[in-house]
Amino acid sequence: MADLTDEAREFLRLSMDAESTNRQEALADLRFVSGEQWPVEMQNSRNLEARPCLTINLMDGYCRQV
């Protein structure tokens, strides 16, 4: 029984390692689509200078197609 759980843990570790980059990129894409399109440093500097940070959602049509 311990052999089976060790094998399952190893499979889970390998799966998580293989998918971690894909999951991180998916989260970044979701943040981009939700409107977080500016790097934080640039957004803060523009806010201090009272300059706008325009976000134009061109991705919505593509996301709806998928």
Side-chain angles (χ1 to χ4, degrees):
M1 187 69 171
D3 227 14
L4 183 61
T5 55
D6 290 341
E7 187 178 334
R9 284 186 181 137
E10 179 65 17
F11 180 75
L12 177 63
R13 187 187 64 76
L14 289 173
S15 299
M16 289 174 63
D17 289 346
E19 287 292 317
S20 65
T21 304
N22 191 26
R23 290 177 186 267
Q24 289 172 355
E25 290 178 1
L27 288 174
D29 290 344
L30 287 172
R31 284 192 299 271
F32 185 85
V33 168
S34 71
E36 295 180 30
Q37 299 177 5
W38 288 81
V40 175
E41 304 85 25
M42 191 176 292
Q43 188 174 11
N44 289 340
S45 70
R46 292 182 71 86
N47 286 338
L48 287 174
E49 297 170 3
R51 295 172 56 193
C53 294
L54 298 177
T55 54
I56 301 168
N57 190 357
L58 299 175
M59 299 298 295
D60 189 50
Y62 298 111
C63 292
R64 289 176 190 267
Q65 283 180 350
V66 173

